[in-house]
Amino acid sequence: MQHLKEATPCFLNLFIFIFGWVFLPSLETELCNVSLKNPLILASGVLGLSKNNLLRAQRGGAGAVTIKSVSLEERSGHETPNIAFFEAGMLNAFGYCNPGIEEALKEFSDLSCFEVPVIASCTASNASDFAKLVEALDKLDFAAIELPLSCPHTPGYGLLAGQGTPEATKEIVEACRKKTKKPLLVKINASLPRIGEIALAAEKAGANAITCSNTLGPGMVIDINSTKPVLAFKVGGVSGPAIRPIVVRSVYDLYKRIKIPIIGLGGVLRGEHVIELLMAGASCVGIGTAIALRGHNVFEKCCDEMLAWMKKHGYKSIGELIGLAHE
Amino acid sequence: MQHLKEATPCFLNLFIFIFGWVFLPSLETELCNVSLKNPLILASGVLGLSKNNLLRAQRGGAGAVTIKSVSLEERSGHETPNIAFFEAGMLNAFGYCNPGIEEALKEFSDLSCFEVPVIASCTASNASDFAKLVEALDKLDFAAIELPLSCPHTPGYGLLAGQGTPEATKEIVEACRKKTKKPLLVKINASLPRIGEIALAAEKAGANAITCSNTLGPGMVIDINSTKPVLAFKVGGVSGPAIRPIVVRSVYDLYKRIKIPIIGLGGVLRGEHVIELLMAGASCVGIGTAIALRGHNVFEKCCDEMLAWMKKHGYKSIGELIGLAHE
Amino acid sequence: MNEFERSRVREARILKIEQETPTVKTFELGVSLDAVPGQFVMVWLPRVAEKPFTLIKTGNTIAIAVKKRGGFTEKLFQLNEGSYLGIRGPYGKGFSWGGVKKVCVVAGGIGIAALVRLAEELAKSKVSVDFIAGFRTKSEVLFKERIENVANLHIITEDGSFGTKGICSDVLMDFLKKNEYDKLYCCGPELMMVKVLKLCKKFNLKAEFAVERYMKCAVGLCGQCCLDEWLVCRDGPVFSSEQLLKSKEFGKFYYTKSGKKVAIQ
Amino acid sequence: MNEFERSRVREARILKIEQETPTVKTFELGVSLDAVPGQFVMVWLPRVAEKPFTLIKTGNTIAIAVKKRGGFTEKLFQLNEGSYLGIRGPYGKGFSWGGVKKVCVVAGGIGIAALVRLAEELAKSKVSVDFIAGFRTKSEVLFKERIENVANLHIITEDGSFGTKGICSDVLMDFLKKNEYDKLYCCGPELMMVKVLKLCKKFNLKAEFAVERYMKCAVGLCGQCCLDEWLVCRDGPVFSSEQLLKSKEFGKFYYTKSGKKVAIQ
Ligand SMILES: Cc1cc2nc3c(=O)[nH]c(=O)nc-3n(C[C@H](O)[C@H](O)[C@H](O)COP(=O)(O)OP(=O)(O)OC[C@H]3O[C@@H](n4cnc5c(N)ncnc54)[C@H](O)[C@@H]3O)c2cc1C
Ligand SMILES: Cc1cc2nc3c(=O)[nH]c(=O)nc-3n(C[C@H](O)[C@H](O)[C@H](O)COP(=O)(O)OP(=O)(O)OC[C@H]3O[C@@H](n4cnc5c(N)ncnc54)[C@H](O)[C@@H]3O)c2cc1C
Ligand SMILES: Cc1cc2nc3c(=O)[nH]c(=O)nc-3n(C[C@H](O)[C@H](O)[C@H](O)COP(=O)(O)O)c2cc1C
Ligand SMILES: Cc1cc2nc3c(=O)[nH]c(=O)nc-3n(C[C@H](O)[C@H](O)[C@H](O)COP(=O)(O)O)c2cc1C
Ligand code: FES
Ligand code: FES
């Protein structure tokens, strides 16, 4: 009897453990050998100017956070208005405002306050400047470095510097690859018809993952009462719900063409949208604009929605969902 | 006295006439020398299978109507689902279902029941087939013929046949130009980065107007509960509010590059959206998807909204609005 | 919620399947939906197709009655309970019965699916209902108990194997002679509906008919389902006798999957 | 209405301009808007820029008080009645005054713009208000009548040309010694607010401060307006003394247009 009495709680624990293992879904995952508590990544340029900004996103439940893209020199960016809204999303044209690499190196020199991986992002007009930035960022504790070759609204950068081609992608990624052993993420633009070739070029040149997508377009919103485009720069990149179907299709296409993982990004508002991108083939999913709608804990909210859906439908892990729409 | 008594109503009439002329805005306009009672055109593929369909749009207030694109042979198109919705618009992949040119020639042989111009639309896989279709359509009473070189979801046609390049555009438009004196409208896709060059090629080859835009993307909507893309063809062209800013920007860009008029098309739901596209540089504005939201009299509703806005802001004619955002 | 949100696919797994007749199964689906009798939903079987079906039950769960005809319905018949279906809708304009006291309902074959909820709603509104239901043969008789509960059911079979032998329109003539109705409701093969419409005209009786056309979008965009200037998905599927008497296509033409206009035989 | 709709630019033509002091003009704008005192709008002058301004009037029309500082405000000063402005908002968290009976309000310079509606609302809630308003010199005194109507106004000028000579924080010390307040509200130059915060701590008085930071998006996306982990556009501009006492950046750092962190002098 004594024997049994002691054994009971032990059995119970085991039972609870097995029960939990069998029935409770987990959101844990990994990207380029970096483990993440959930697949949600704060998109570059949204918050991310300062460590404090990023801490806020961490507190809001992000699985990883990305800094705002930094350039060699300080840039104050385009004049305001930098954003314009329409009923299905928004346009932005900040023009890569950022304090420059020197300030960024100071701001992000100590990342010990982060419990989640911090991803760097840098932008330049040519391959050698990209390489310089990557070399500098390599020295800090970033988990990975993202190269946005796809901004649609900053003269001298991204698409407006002709970076949205397989050739330019190859050149830039190769130059950066020499400067770091950290995972390199290449951010592309789903607006382009040749994304498959661009992603393949990045993969061949040594990129470790593709982020798809930057803002689309560009687009324009005209305020008819003043007869003027709202944005000071007139045009801006489209983000939010409006772009999600195009991003889903792009991720779906890339999943068939490349072997490196994909970060799906664009128009995610809810946990169900995260799952949609995972099923299309994304390994992780970025969130930006949704913060304006659902607050800084949108990550937490999406996680709750994902867990509820996974429980209801009997999925236990993120891995089961990735690429499921291809089957 | 007698003299005066008789004169009064005459003065009054004159006064009312002048008052009307001074204060009441007019929506009348013209496109390629065809006069229109308002600048709203039923988009191709939306209704347009039959004369009856088009009569419904005419009754709903359209200033002109376009038939669904017709091909040489009968096509039953893609399997259903042909449409998929998301919160900011929809995707369609009908795959150019149509009864073929022979049936179309019967259906549209007598257009005398129309009070508004009827525009033909035809689609083919190559320039010589396009020319055959244009030759056939030229015989009927269509006010113009539209060439959609931009469908993103039908193998063998539009973008999936490589028609979205300046070279292909030139070849197709030149071939069609030889077969008709009617205005030729070339429909392009704002998803493409080179729309300026494509439109210029069309203009040089003899096109009389550019319709911008076809559906964007393509995009994909995945139903996460079944893990499957909703559309039978998996991907489809995006229409509705989601695409409006990209269409506005494209029209704005084209207005600076080409001399022929532009038909702005994409995401228009309200009169204010029509005015936004006119200010961007469109001479006329197409409406498609909005019918699903606001019914077949969406044209009438948009006209009312335009008139109310024009009255409030002191505009008297459509001509005053075209390109206003460029000033 | 705008029309876009409303038209997103919803999960509607099959809760229960019943073989009602050799060619008809009913499917109860796990999704909650309200709709007026006569409205329909688009039913999607992933990787197969999406087709319109009338709702024979609404509320916390919904149900449809399906007659095996071609590729899609055959695939539906192979499904088991628990299988995934997606639905969107409800779409269309349903029946109306304001101010009526005594009505006649005429159903032909699977057309009864559009009328069974109507009969129940009419009974709830204390309307007296004569329900004439025609089938090919005894084994095809559908919803007998459900309709007997709410209406005076008169079953007709073409081969006389059950109820009166004959076709609906013949029997209807008798009913119209003997009774004073406020309104008539009808759904069935189009040529039968044409006959019923003629009788209604003769007896000066107002009526509503549920019409079928090939449908693709169900939101009034593709033009596929047109009947004269109307779109069946949006202006119908229920049309009034006044409308149909003006129609040049009712009973005469419909449009195939490609949009080709063909004659109804 | 979602946040996207809410943030679309609205036409807000200038109805009335008044030169209040040599450096401050008030603009009444033709747009209807409700907002809590302390909330702000983004004001867009096409082809110039878009900047944040507190609402000093809400309802059928709104109004802002603008101090001429740099490029944008200079352009605003050149406008005439009838000129076009666009606005979006209101944004941010305003002041709260649940359960208070007697309060002290401390305004420095144009900071009074954030507090004038608060004083009026407090008066409506029968709260007794001591309002200390500091200005550089007599000609800069703003909203004297409006505030005298609803509060005990104590004007202070740095050069003594009107009211008490001195700075707000000195005078405030006296008030705190002589009165028992339930809460204090403050807006003004940040270094002045730091001093007021210290006094509040000393007297164990709860307080709320309206803080300024460089703003671009106003919807919590760009990170430009951050104060520690908070975003002034979304979590502020009104912060509680508890929050600010924990802050490592209040009174010390802000971020310039490029996002560069610089010290406040
Ligand atoms: C508003 C409406 C409500 C309907 N309600 C029911 C119902 O409750 N029960 C029921 O059994 N059937 C109903 N139908 C018909 C049903 O949609 C078709 O029987 C079904 O689509 C047949 O598909 P299939 O592939 O099995 O047959 P097929 O061999 O493809 O076709 C058989 C017949 O069905 C018609 N059909 C096929 N596809 C469609 C389509 N997409 N839209 C319309 N007709 C089509 C064809 O005209 C053909 O005559 C309804 C149709 C409409 C328009
Ligand atoms: C929440 C909030 C409410 C405000 N309410 C008022 C008000 O009611 N009345 C008023 O006169 N001023 C108010 N301001 C400040 C006002 O926005 C700036 O004074 C104005 O933008 C100065 O612009 P400028 O181009 O004329 O001057 P600049 O020469 O560009 O700058 C002068 C000062 O204004 C600040 N400033 C400039 N641009 C911005 C910006 N986009 N966001 C924040 N600060 C900026 C700068 O830090 C600088 O110290 C408010 C600011 C904030 C953040
Ligand atoms: C305000 C804002 C600023 C952005 N800045 C950057 C940037 O600096 N670098 C970058 O790579 N992407 C930038 N982006 C793009 C986002 O990272 C993201 O790719 C895009 O917004 C789509 O995602 P969303 O719909 O979830 O916002 C920015 C987006 C927004 C809305
Ligand atoms: C259901 C549907 C069918 C369409 N079919 C065609 C077509 O046959 N030919 C064509 O040129 N465009 C076709 N289009 C594109 C439209 O003409 C239009 O360019 C596009 O939908 C954008 O406008 P909207 O947002 O107002 O719908 C179709 C669009 C829809 C929604
Ligand atoms: S099914 Fe498309 S219009 Fe009716
Ligand atoms: S102004 Fe952009 S986050 Fe506050």
Side-chain angles (χ1 to χ4, degrees):
Chain A
M1 279 298 282
Q2 181 65 21
H3 187 78
L4 253 179
K5 256 182 207 161
E6 266 180 34
T8 317
C10 181
F11 280 145
L12 202 68
N13 277 347
L14 191 70
F15 181 78
I16 289 172
F17 176 80
I18 291 173
F19 185 89
W21 185 77
V22 174
F23 292 98
L24 290 185
S26 153
L27 296 182
E28 275 170 39
T29 186
E30 58 126 52
L31 180 74
C32 308
N33 294 319
V34 178
S35 55
L36 305 178
K37 65 172 183 170
N38 68 55
L40 303 181
I41 303 178
L42 172 72
S44 177
V46 175
L47 306 177
L49 264 181
S50 65
K51 247 161 68 172
N52 276 328
N53 269 191
L54 296 176
L55 283 168
R56 179 71 181 270
Q58 169 174 286
R59 197 149 52 87
V65 294
T66 315
I67 72 167
K68 178 160 180 68
S69 311
V70 57
S71 57
L72 278 177
E73 309 296 334
E74 178 177 3
R75 292 176 54 86
S76 54
H78 299 311
E79 189 48 87
T80 51
N82 298 115
I83 59 170
F85 293 87
F86 69 112
E87 69 268 44
M90 57 175 263
L91 276 58
N92 90 75
F94 282 91
Y96 276 140
C97 58
N98 81 90
I101 184 71
E102 248 177 80
E103 286 296 321
L105 291 178
K106 277 189 246 165
E107 178 71 21
F108 300 108
S109 60
D110 176 10
L111 297 176
S112 59
C113 49
F114 288 95
E115 289 147 26
V116 303
V118 181
I119 300 167
S121 173
C122 61
T123 183
S125 299
N126 55 60
S128 77
D129 285 357
F130 263 111
K132 278 184 211 159
L133 288 162
V134 167
E135 190 168 18
L137 292 167
D138 181 63
K139 310 234 152 33
L140 304 194
D141 284 334
F142 291 113
I145 302 175
E146 187 170 82
L147 310 173
L149 309 182
S150 42
C151 173
H153 57 74
T154 309
Y157 294 83
L159 301 190
L160 301 189
Q163 291 170 3
T165 64
E167 300 72 30
T169 303
K170 176 174 185 284
E171 191 195 347
I172 294 168
V173 177
E174 277 176 356
C176 295
R177 185 70 289 171
K178 291 189 191 122
K179 304 295 185 184
T180 187
K181 293 215 158 60
K182 290 188 197 296
L184 274 179
L185 322 179
V186 173
K187 185 167 181 176
I188 66 175
N189 197 311
S191 284
L192 300 176
R194 293 164 74 196
I195 50 163
E197 290 165 58
I198 295 170
L200 273 174
E203 183 175 43
K204 265 201 203 150
N208 304 90
I210 299 292
T211 305
C212 176
S213 165
N214 214 312
T215 50
L216 299 200
M220 177 185 280
V221 170
I222 296 170
D223 171 52
I224 61 171
N225 295 317
S226 63
T227 77
K228 304 286 182 287
V230 172
L231 294 172
F233 188 63
K234 296 199 174 105
V235 304
V238 186
S239 65
I243 70 171
R244 198 174 57 250
I246 292 182
V247 171
V248 169
R249 187 266 308 159
S250 304
V251 169
Y252 187 92
D253 283 352
L254 290 180
Y255 186 75
K256 289 189 290 192
R257 295 204 61 177
I258 58 173
K259 291 190 193 72
I260 52 175
I262 304 159
I263 300 164
L265 168 56
V268 168
L269 299 183
R270 303 181 46 82
E272 290 79 0
H273 303 158
V274 177
I275 293 169
E276 186 176 7
L277 276 165
L278 294 172
M279 287 184 175
S283 293
C284 287
V285 171
I287 292 186
T289 302
I291 289 175
L293 270 91
R294 303 188 77 196
H296 294 89
N297 60 344
V298 59
F299 304 96
E300 223 170 75
K301 290 176 183 166
C302 284
C303 284
D304 289 348
E305 287 151 2
M306 290 174 73
L307 284 171
W309 186 90
M310 288 169 77
K311 239 188 227 171
K312 183 174 165 206
H313 288 79
Y315 292 98
K316 277 173 283 180
S317 72
I318 294 299
E320 291 168 56
L321 301 172
I322 298 171
L324 209 50
H326 293 261
E327 275 164 27
Chain B
M1 277 296 285
Q2 178 66 20
H3 185 78
L4 253 179
K5 255 183 207 162
E6 263 181 36
T8 316
C10 179
F11 278 146
L12 202 67
N13 277 348
L14 191 71
F15 181 77
I16 289 172
F17 177 79
I18 290 174
F19 185 90
W21 185 78
V22 173
F23 292 100
L24 291 185
S26 152
L27 297 181
E28 276 169 41
T29 186
E30 58 126 54
L31 180 73
C32 308
N33 294 320
V34 178
S35 54
L36 305 178
K37 65 172 181 171
N38 69 54
L40 303 181
I41 304 179
L42 171 72
S44 175
V46 175
L47 308 177
L49 263 182
S50 64
K51 246 162 69 173
N52 276 329
N53 270 191
L54 296 175
L55 283 169
R56 179 71 181 269
Q58 169 175 285
R59 197 151 50 89
V65 294
T66 315
I67 72 166
K68 179 160 179 71
S69 311
V70 59
S71 57
L72 278 178
E73 309 296 332
E74 178 176 5
R75 293 177 53 86
S76 54
H78 299 311
E79 188 46 90
T80 52
N82 297 114
I83 59 168
F85 292 88
F86 69 114
E87 70 268 45
M90 59 174 264
L91 276 58
N92 90 74
F94 281 90
Y96 276 140
C97 57
N98 80 88
I101 184 70
E102 248 177 82
E103 285 295 321
L105 291 180
K106 276 190 246 162
E107 178 71 21
F108 301 109
S109 60
D110 176 11
L111 297 177
S112 60
C113 48
F114 288 96
E115 287 147 27
V116 304
V118 181
I119 301 168
S121 173
C122 62
T123 184
S125 298
N126 56 59
S128 76
D129 285 357
F130 263 112
K132 277 184 214 158
L133 288 163
V134 168
E135 193 169 16
L137 293 168
D138 182 63
K139 310 234 155 27
L140 304 194
D141 283 335
F142 291 114
I145 302 175
E146 187 171 82
L147 311 172
L149 309 182
S150 44
C151 173
H153 57 73
T154 308
Y157 293 83
L159 302 189
L160 301 189
Q163 291 170 3
T165 64
E167 298 75 30
T169 303
K170 177 174 185 286
E171 192 195 346
I172 294 168
V173 177
E174 277 175 355
C176 296
R177 185 69 290 171
K178 290 186 192 126
K179 303 295 181 186
T180 186
K181 292 215 159 61
K182 289 190 199 293
L184 273 179
L185 321 180
V186 173
K187 187 167 181 178
I188 65 175
N189 197 309
S191 284
L192 299 175
R194 293 163 74 195
I195 49 162
E197 290 163 58
I198 295 169
L200 273 174
E203 183 175 44
K204 264 200 204 149
N208 304 89
I210 299 292
T211 305
C212 176
S213 165
N214 214 310
T215 52
L216 299 200
M220 176 185 279
V221 170
I222 295 169
D223 171 50
I224 61 172
N225 295 317
S226 63
T227 78
K228 303 286 181 284
V230 172
L231 294 173
F233 188 63
K234 294 200 175 99
V235 304
V238 185
S239 65
I243 71 171
R244 198 173 58 250
I246 293 181
V247 171
V248 170
R249 187 266 307 158
S250 303
V251 169
Y252 187 92
D253 284 352
L254 290 180
Y255 186 75
K256 288 189 291 193
R257 294 202 62 177
I258 59 174
K259 291 191 194 70
I260 52 177
I262 303 158
I263 299 165
L265 167 56
V268 168
L269 298 183
R270 301 181 46 82
E272 290 79 359
H273 304 157
V274 177
I275 294 169
E276 187 177 5
L277 277 165
L278 293 173
M279 286 185 176
S283 292
C284 288
V285 171
I287 293 186
T289 302
I291 288 174
L293 271 91
R294 304 187 77 195
H296 293 91
N297 61 344
V298 59
F299 303 96
E300 220 169 75
K301 290 176 183 167
C302 284
C303 284
D304 289 348
E305 288 151 1
M306 289 174 73
L307 284 172
W309 185 90
M310 286 169 76
K311 237 187 226 172
K312 183 175 164 203
H313 288 78
Y315 291 98
K316 276 171 281 177
S317 73
I318 294 300
E320 291 168 58
L321 300 172
I322 298 170
L324 209 51
H326 293 262
E327 276 164 25
Chain C
M1 198 170 60
N2 66 23
E3 183 69 32
F4 297 135
E5 287 280 349
R6 196 174 89 80
S7 283
R8 291 169 84 153
V9 171
R10 296 173 64 187
E11 180 172 18
R13 286 190 187 271
I14 299 175
L15 299 178
K16 212 161 97 188
I17 303 178
E18 274 182 80
Q19 181 92 43
E20 305 278 351
T21 80
T23 64
V24 175
K25 280 188 180 183
T26 55
F27 296 83
E28 190 180 349
L29 309 179
V31 67
S32 115
L33 204 74
D34 280 322
V36 177
Q39 283 192 299
F40 67 98
V41 290
M42 292 299 280
V43 176
W44 174 44
L45 179 52
R47 306 246 160 117
V48 180
E50 188 193 39
K51 303 265 170 174
F53 290 91
T54 299
L55 293 167
I56 58 161
K57 175 189 180 317
T58 60
N60 287 333
T61 65
I62 64 168
I64 56 173
V66 178
K67 181 172 175 91
K68 191 146 104 178
R69 290 209 221 172
F72 182 73
T73 46
E74 255 163 39
K75 286 268 166 48
L76 272 189
F77 268 50
Q78 289 162 17
L79 297 181
N80 300 316
E81 285 165 15
S83 292
Y84 178 95
L85 288 178
I87 65 133
R88 58 186 176 94
Y91 292 116
K93 216 170 62 49
F95 293 103
S96 61
W97 56 92
V100 301
K101 296 251 161 63
K102 182 175 167 71
V103 303
C104 182
V105 177
V106 184
I110 188 67
I112 201 169
L115 298 165
V116 53
R117 281 188 61 225
L118 172 68
E120 287 168 349
E121 289 299 321
L122 285 168
K124 269 192 215 155
S125 304
K126 311 259 181 262
V127 178
S128 148
V129 180
D130 285 342
F131 200 118
I132 306 170
F135 301 98
R136 213 172 36 73
T137 183
K138 180 179 175 182
S139 64
E140 287 300 333
V141 172
L142 200 61
F143 300 137
K144 182 166 172 293
E145 284 76 29
R146 249 182 99 171
I147 290 172
E148 276 175 347
N149 281 337
V150 294
N152 315 311
L153 178 60
H154 302 264
I155 290 176
I156 300 160
T157 52
E158 287 176 33
D159 62 3
S161 53
F162 194 88
T164 316
K165 180 174 168 149
I167 55 168
C168 289
S169 38
D170 297 345
V171 178
L172 175 61
M173 178 69 116
D174 285 352
F175 275 80
L176 294 184
K177 279 186 188 146
K178 288 189 199 138
N179 298 277
E180 277 281 337
Y181 295 113
D182 299 320
K183 201 157 184 178
L184 179 145
Y185 301 93
C186 179
C187 183
E190 196 148 314
L191 294 182
M192 163 213 156
M193 292 200 283
V194 168
K195 287 189 195 155
V196 172
L197 178 62
K198 278 186 191 145
L199 284 177
C200 290
K201 195 184 169 190
K202 184 168 166 185
F203 285 86
N204 204 15
L205 177 58
K206 282 199 178 164
E208 290 185 355
F209 296 80
V211 179
E212 264 187 46
R213 279 296 178 273
Y214 205 98
M215 286 187 182
K216 289 183 172 176
C217 74
V219 292
L221 283 182
C222 71
Q224 184 70 53
C225 65
C226 74
L227 174 72
D228 301 274
E229 280 187 41
W230 298 300
L231 294 166
V232 173
C233 68
R234 200 157 171 142
D235 305 305
V238 174
F239 291 93
S240 69
S241 43
E242 289 97 325
Q243 289 177 301
L244 296 181
L245 284 168
K246 277 184 268 169
S247 169
K248 295 196 181 88
E249 297 188 347
F250 181 62
K252 301 201 184 70
F253 300 104
Y254 74 104
Y255 296 80
T256 66
K257 201 177 170 191
S258 71
K260 186 172 171 172
K261 187 173 180 173
V262 296
I264 291 174
Q265 286 114 13
Chain D
M1 199 171 60
N2 67 24
E3 183 69 31
F4 296 136
E5 287 279 350
R6 198 175 86 78
S7 282
R8 290 170 85 155
V9 171
R10 296 174 63 187
E11 179 171 20
R13 286 192 186 268
I14 299 175
L15 299 179
K16 209 160 100 188
I17 304 176
E18 273 183 78
Q19 182 92 42
E20 304 279 350
T21 80
T23 64
V24 176
K25 279 188 181 182
T26 54
F27 297 83
E28 191 179 349
L29 309 179
V31 66
S32 115
L33 204 74
D34 280 322
V36 177
Q39 282 191 301
F40 66 97
V41 289
M42 292 300 278
V43 176
W44 174 44
L45 178 53
R47 304 246 161 118
V48 180
E50 188 194 37
K51 304 266 168 172
F53 290 91
T54 300
L55 293 167
I56 58 161
K57 175 189 180 316
T58 59
N60 286 336
T61 65
I62 64 169
I64 57 173
V66 178
K67 186 177 170 89
K68 190 145 108 180
R69 289 207 226 174
F72 182 72
T73 46
E74 254 162 42
K75 287 267 165 49
L76 273 189
F77 269 50
Q78 289 162 16
L79 298 180
N80 301 317
E81 286 166 14
S83 294
Y84 179 93
L85 288 177
I87 64 134
R88 59 186 175 95
Y91 293 117
K93 216 171 62 44
F95 293 103
S96 62
W97 57 91
V100 301
K101 296 256 160 60
K102 183 177 165 71
V103 304
C104 183
V105 177
V106 185
I110 188 69
I112 201 167
L115 298 165
V116 55
R117 279 188 62 225
L118 173 68
E120 286 167 350
E121 289 299 322
L122 286 167
K124 269 191 213 155
S125 306
K126 311 263 181 254
V127 178
S128 146
V129 180
D130 285 343
F131 199 118
I132 306 171
F135 301 97
R136 216 171 37 71
T137 185
K138 180 178 175 181
S139 64
E140 289 300 333
V141 172
L142 199 60
F143 298 137
K144 184 167 170 289
E145 285 74 29
R146 246 181 101 172
I147 292 172
E148 276 174 348
N149 281 338
V150 294
N152 315 311
L153 178 60
H154 302 264
I155 290 175
I156 299 159
T157 51
E158 286 176 35
D159 63 2
S161 53
F162 194 86
T164 315
K165 180 177 169 145
I167 56 168
C168 290
S169 38
D170 299 345
V171 178
L172 174 61
M173 177 69 115
D174 285 353
F175 274 81
L176 294 184
K177 278 185 188 152
K178 289 187 198 141
N179 298 275
E180 278 283 335
Y181 295 114
D182 299 321
K183 202 158 182 178
L184 179 144
Y185 301 91
C186 179
C187 183
E190 195 148 316
L191 295 180
M192 165 215 156
M193 291 201 282
V194 169
K195 287 188 195 157
V196 172
L197 178 63
K198 278 187 189 144
L199 284 176
C200 290
K201 194 185 170 190
K202 186 168 162 185
F203 285 87
N204 204 13
L205 177 60
K206 282 197 178 166
E208 288 184 355
F209 297 80
V211 179
E212 263 188 45
R213 280 295 178 273
Y214 205 98
M215 287 186 181
K216 288 184 173 175
C217 75
V219 292
L221 283 182
C222 71
Q224 185 69 52
C225 66
C226 74
L227 174 73
D228 302 274
E229 279 186 40
W230 298 300
L231 294 166
V232 173
C233 68
R234 199 150 172 147
D235 306 306
V238 174
F239 291 92
S240 70
S241 44
E242 289 97 323
Q243 287 176 303
L244 295 180
L245 284 167
K246 279 185 267 168
S247 167
K248 294 196 183 85
E249 297 188 348
F250 181 62
K252 297 196 187 72
F253 300 104
Y254 75 102
Y255 297 79
T256 66
K257 199 177 172 190
S258 71
K260 185 169 169 175
K261 187 172 178 173
V262 296
I264 292 175
Q265 286 115 15

